[in-house]
Amino acid sequence: MKRKIVEIDREKCNGCGLCANACHEGAIEMVDGKAQLVKDDYCDGMGDCLPACPTGAITITEREAAAYDEKAVAQRKAAAPSPGMHACPGSMARMLKRDGNVKPNAIIDPGKAYGQQVSSLGQWPVQIKLVPEKAPYFQGAKLLIAADCTAYAYASFHRDMMRRRITIIGCPKLDEGDYTVKLTSILAQNDIKELLIVRMEVPCCGGLERAATNALKESGKFIPWRVITVAIDGHIID
């Protein structure tokens, strides 16, 4: 049958997840960092998701589609809420600006702290699984792809690695799937000027390095890159 239904433009989608959270029927889920209509008969075509989208990626179109199945939606909700139905609003892509004023740390006694340092993080989110494939902060960026443990092992990570770079992190041991496809898309769709890969010395961290270098090759771009390896005790391995 021909009826009104949601249509999502993946090029315009920034991966914030707000539409998935706004969809009461659970018809929208986040797939590879982008919003996706998972099944036609879950969408009632009413467009509750439209006002939630900050980029105008969602429209209502009229096309051939399965009829809205209210019973199936009810059963789906009762069985197990999908990740898309409870997408975290905190994953919304954003730039971070700081005025230079640092507030005292509420956990560490300011009198005993090693000075009040300013974070070098320039964007949110940072997890490879959550970052959008295309975002304004990637344009003209020096990109840091880091194993998440490196920030804990290397004491001056913000100053030496993150400063003036856009940072994305992951753990190939714990995250499901391979990062190659996502990283390839990021490198191919954005004007990345430089790539720094920071990994731990442990073997499983090789998965992050391989994904990043394979993505660089598959993107078809020539981008200056280098790899830094951090030892478990925190020193840089030459």
Side-chain angles (χ1 to χ4, degrees), residues 23-236:
C23 179
H24 302 300
E25 288 73 28
I28 300 175
E29 291 185 2
M30 303 308 296
V31 179
D32 294 328
K34 296 282 187 174
Q36 181 174 309
L37 181 64
V38 292
K39 200 172 182 184
D40 286 358
D41 53 7
Y42 290 160
C43 177
D44 62 6
M46 300 299 291
D48 288 344
C49 52
L50 264 69
C53 179
T55 65
I58 304 175
T59 55
I60 298 293
T61 187
E62 191 168 333
R63 64 170 173 82
E64 289 292 332
Y68 172 60
D69 192 337
E70 187 174 359
K71 184 177 180 180
V73 170
Q75 291 174 341
R76 172 179 165 82
K77 288 181 178 180
S82 70
M85 292 164 68
H86 294 282
C88 176
S91 65
M92 181 177 180
R94 69 194 76 179
M95 298 285 290
L96 301 179
K97 296 182 180 180
R98 296 179 176 84
D99 58 11
N101 296 319
V102 186
K103 296 180 180 180
N105 193 302
I107 300 176
I108 301 175
D109 183 349
K112 298 179 181 179
Y114 296 102
Q116 297 181 37
Q117 300 180 16
V118 178
S119 171
S120 295
L121 186 63
Q123 97 292 338
W124 185 264
V126 294
Q127 289 285 345
I128 296 173
K129 292 286 188 178
L130 297 179
V131 294
E133 295 176 3
K134 190 172 183 179
Y137 51 71
F138 283 135
Q139 300 308 317
K142 294 180 179 179
L143 181 63
L144 167 63
I145 301 175
D148 47 19
C149 293
T150 56
Y152 295 93
Y154 186 70
S156 299
F157 190 79
H158 277 250
R159 184 194 66 193
D160 297 347
M161 308 296 185
M162 291 175 59
R163 192 178 181 191
R164 297 191 179 93
R165 292 187 174 95
I166 292 299
T167 302
I168 57 177
I169 67 171
C171 176
K173 180 71 173 180
L174 300 180
D175 286 346
E176 294 183 4
D178 186 4
Y179 296 133
T180 302
V181 174
K182 181 71 172 284
L183 294 177
T184 299
S185 182
I186 291 173
L187 295 177
Q189 294 189 63
N190 300 282
D191 181 25
I192 304 295
K193 297 298 186 183
E194 180 184 299
L195 177 60
L196 174 62
I197 304 160
V198 183
R199 54 163 293 184
M200 295 297 296
E201 65 173 322
V202 294
C204 57
C205 243
L208 182 71
E209 180 179 346
R210 284 192 298 274
T213 53
N214 287 338
L216 186 57
K217 294 175 184 177
E218 294 180 17
S219 72
K221 291 186 175 181
F222 176 77
I223 301 173
W225 65 281
R226 63 187 174 120
V227 178
I228 292 177
T229 302
V230 180
I232 293 175
D233 65 5
H235 76 273
I236 300 296

